[in-house]
Amino acid sequence: MHTTHDTLMDLAQTIEQRRQGDPETSYVARLLHRAPDAVLKKIGEEATEVVMAAKDLSAGQGSAQALVAEMADLWFHALVALAHYQLSPADVLAELHRRAGTSGLEEKAARQAKARETRPE
C-alpha cells in the first residue's frame, strides 16, 4: 500500500531528479533555476486559487474536484520550495508530528513567545 509519506517522498525525489534538467524543457528545473522568486510567486498564485476554489465550492458554484486539483498544485509548488531550501516532506511531517496533540492556540502562543525571546532589542 502506498502511503501519504511515500507519495510525498516519491514526488520530492522526482523534483530532485528534475532539478538537474534543462530549464528550457523542464518546468521544475526552470522554477528552481529562477528560485526563490519564481517558486514563491507560484505558491502565492496557487494559494489564491485554492481560496477561490474553496469559496466557489462554499457558494455551490464549484466542485470538490476543483478544490482538490488546486490544492494538489499548491502542495506541488510547496514541495518545490522545500527542495530549493534543501528540505524535504519528512521535515514538515516531523514538525506536524511534533505538534500532534497540542492545542493549536497553545502551539501558536509558544511560537510567538519564542519569537519575542529571540528578537533583538
Side-chain angles (χ1 to χ4, degrees):
M1 178 173 175
H2 210 69
T3 67
T4 301
H5 181 267
D6 294 336
T7 300
L8 291 173
M9 295 309 289
D10 289 350
L11 186 51
Q13 184 177 17
T14 299
I15 290 167
E16 279 303 319
Q17 291 167 350
R18 293 185 181 165
R19 174 193 296 274
Q20 304 308 318
D22 180 357
E24 295 298 318
T25 59
S26 169
Y27 177 70
V28 170
R30 182 179 312 143
L31 277 176
L32 289 170
H33 181 73
R34 297 177 179 166
D37 291 345
V39 176
L40 300 176
K41 180 179 176 187
K42 282 304 293 181
I43 289 174
E45 290 171 10
E46 298 303 340
T48 299
E49 290 173 8
V50 165
V51 170
M52 292 177 359
K55 295 284 253 175
D56 288 347
L57 184 58
S58 293
Q61 299 171 350
S63 69
Q65 183 53 42
L67 177 57
V68 167
E70 294 301 344
M71 192 67 71
D73 290 345
L74 177 59
W75 285 19
F76 171 79
H77 288 90
L79 290 173
V80 173
L82 288 173
H84 171 69
Y85 293 105
Q86 284 77 51
L87 296 166
S88 80
D91 297 308
V92 177
L93 293 171
E95 177 62 13
L96 290 171
H97 180 74
R98 184 191 67 76
R99 294 180 187 184
T102 303
S103 159
L105 296 175
E106 290 173 10
E107 196 279 331
K108 182 177 179 182
R111 276 189 288 129
Q112 289 174 336
K114 185 176 181 181
R116 282 192 298 273
E117 290 172 6
T118 60
R119 205 176 293 145
E121 297 286 324

